[in-house]
Amino acid sequence: MTKRILIIGGYGNFGSYIARSLAPEPHIQLLIGGRSLGKARAFISQLSTSNVAEPIVVDIRSDLPPILRTARPDIVVHTTGPFQRQGYTVAESCLKERCHYVDLADARDFVVNIGRYDQAAKEKKLLVVSGASSVPCLTAAVVDYYRPRFRSLERIEYGISASQQTNRGLATVSAILSYVGKPFLTLIEGRRTPVYGWQNLHGIRYPELGWRWFGNCDIPDLDLFPKRYPELKTVRFAAGHELHAVHLGLWFLSWPVRWRLISSLEKYGTFLLKSSFLFDALATGKSGFHMFLSGIDLDGQPRTERFYIIARSGHGPYIPCMPAILLAKGLADGSVRETGARPCLDLIDWPAYRAALKELDISVLQNVENE
């Protein structure tokens, strides 16, 4: 039976990757949603689909239940950020109209608190998932994969370095700027400690990519992981840009926010986004992910596991999109039968995630020394 999947933001940066991945599936009919009917139609004309895709006008600020009632989706994939400034209107509308809901949110409070709808989702036999993206889905999957090698996993330090040539829009930029220079809490040496967005500047040398700069990034893991892995003493996540000048420029701009000379960089988002495109010709199209896990192994000895993902050919954005793609396929073919509302944990393990990346120009490297 064909399932109708509405992608809100379907012609946007992440939505388009998801749509292209789902389009060939014979049991899926895509509904490409966005505020512009013309853009939705233009995008659909470029898709090679098994079933005729439909353009749908969707504005998440409007009255959504009537739109869903008319469109009749079985599953809604919500990609339109920034989620840091959103409520749960889309998820609530999906519950009301009895369709599954999946989003790509990386906003800490948004993802952590989605469980408030757990009972309602179970009563209606629906799955409501937030954070079907790199965090917390990929990150938890990797930790779960390595955790059996430790008697006590005490420290996780990890980060994402985005390619300068990655498709990006104002929503993505606004999400980052919302916490640059702002304080947030993370677990350090057993205590919840305030750190500042895009600060604690440090470099990581990647295999193939060379040195990349990183700074503090606020994500759902910082709340979820200390509860999920209670033996942890330190959880630190960072993000960075491929180009040193771009990363260091944003690090420099984080200080006026920390010193409270300006309230936020969000209001400069459009200018900073346009300025960032000036550097694209200097980039390689390569992005990376790293995770270093440390603790005591099963023999009582110190142990560190080093894990990297290297993405080439502009394929990096498929990594955060993959959980939503896999869940949409699973809900459509019936292989995903879970119900309830939760962050995207325990739904996709690392072997399944890795298998989904195998056709892309992406490499996984394990236990390569960080020299």
Side-chain angles (χ1 to χ4, degrees):
M1 181 178 178
T2 301
K3 298 293 185 179
R4 293 166 62 84
I5 299 181
L6 169 61
I7 305 176
I8 300 179
Y11 51 79
N13 291 322
F14 290 125
S16 60
Y17 285 99
I18 296 170
R20 292 188 187 99
S21 296
L22 297 178
E25 298 294 324
H27 54 283
I28 289 175
Q29 181 180 19
L30 288 177
L31 312 178
I32 302 301
R35 287 183 290 179
S36 170
L37 188 62
K39 290 181 179 179
R41 285 173 171 164
F43 177 71
I44 288 172
S45 70
Q46 302 170 14
L47 281 178
S48 178
T49 61
S50 289
N51 297 291
V52 177
E54 298 178 11
I56 304 290
V57 176
V58 179
D59 187 336
I60 62 172
R61 299 168 297 182
S62 62
D63 187 15
L64 289 176
I67 296 173
L68 297 181
R69 205 171 302 133
T70 300
R72 298 177 291 105
D74 300 288
I75 304 154
V76 170
V77 179
H78 180 19
T79 74
T80 306
F83 290 89
Q84 284 81 357
R85 297 289 181 266
Q86 286 187 37
Y88 296 108
T89 302
V90 180
E92 291 171 351
S93 299
C94 289
L95 283 169
K96 184 175 182 180
E97 298 304 319
R98 295 182 178 273
C99 48
H100 300 290
Y101 167 89
V102 178
D103 71 44
L104 276 68
D106 62 357
R108 185 170 178 171
D109 290 341
F110 188 98
V111 175
V112 169
N113 293 318
I114 194 68
R116 68 177 64 178
Y117 299 104
D118 188 56
Q119 182 176 348
K122 287 179 177 176
E123 289 174 354
K124 296 188 176 184
K125 298 181 180 180
L126 296 173
L127 183 61
V128 173
V129 177
S130 186
S133 191
S134 299
V135 294
C137 182
L138 169 62
T139 50
V142 174
V143 175
D144 290 344
Y145 181 78
Y146 281 103
R147 193 183 185 193
R149 305 182 187 187
F150 292 88
R151 177 185 298 174
S152 176
L153 177 60
E154 298 177 351
R155 189 179 193 94
I156 305 175
E157 297 180 275
Y158 56 120
I160 295 173
S161 178
S163 164
Q164 175 66 21
Q165 294 178 346
T166 298
N167 289 339
R168 56 200 181 274
L170 185 59
T172 302
V173 171
S174 295
I176 296 171
L177 296 180
S178 69
Y179 59 77
V180 170
K182 302 285 187 70
F184 54 87
L185 296 175
T186 189
L187 184 69
I188 300 177
E189 302 302 334
R191 301 183 63 180
R192 287 171 61 84
T193 303
V195 297
Y196 291 84
W198 220 255
Q199 299 203 340
N200 292 103
L201 183 69
H202 62 282
I204 299 291
R205 183 171 180 169
Y206 274 76
E208 183 178 334
L209 305 184
W211 283 98
R212 295 282 178 101
W213 289 107
F214 289 87
N216 297 325
C217 185
D218 192 17
I219 59 170
D221 301 21
L222 303 183
D223 277 334
L224 295 172
F225 280 15
K227 298 175 183 177
R228 183 176 178 85
Y229 313 110
E231 72 273 23
L232 281 175
K233 296 179 181 177
T234 296
V235 182
R236 302 205 70 163
F237 179 82
H241 287 296
E242 173 187 359
L243 298 181
H244 295 183
V246 175
H247 184 93
L248 294 173
L250 191 55
W251 170 78
F252 178 81
L253 292 174
S254 72
W255 287 99
V257 179
R258 179 172 179 174
W259 292 332
R260 299 184 180 180
L261 299 178
I262 58 176
S263 60
S264 173
L265 293 178
E266 280 190 90
K267 57 186 175 183
Y268 305 106
T270 300
F271 171 76
L272 292 173
L273 174 62
K274 291 180 179 179
S275 299
S276 73
F277 290 112
L278 299 175
F279 298 87
D280 284 7
L282 303 175
T284 65
K286 297 179 180 180
S287 55
F289 169 83
H290 71 274
M291 180 174 278
F292 306 148
L293 305 96
S294 303
I296 305 300
D297 70 11
L298 302 180
D299 296 321
Q301 300 299 312
R303 183 185 187 103
T304 297
E305 298 281 351
R306 293 181 172 87
F307 174 93
Y308 301 88
I309 299 177
I310 308 298
R312 311 171 195 86
S313 305
H315 287 178
Y318 279 102
I319 298 174
C321 292
M322 197 54 67
I325 294 168
L326 293 175
L327 287 174
K329 288 181 179 180
L331 287 167
D333 67 20
S335 60
V336 173
R337 299 182 179 182
E338 287 86 349
T339 62
R342 65 171 86 172
C344 194
L345 300 168
D346 301 315
L347 292 168
I348 301 168
D349 61 19
W350 170 238
Y353 209 124
R354 182 171 185 172
L357 301 174
K358 67 180 180 180
E359 301 300 326
L360 302 170
D361 192 4
I362 292 174
S363 297
V364 176
L365 304 173
Q366 302 176 61
N367 290 322
V368 177
E369 290 296 326
N370 178 34
E371 298 175 350

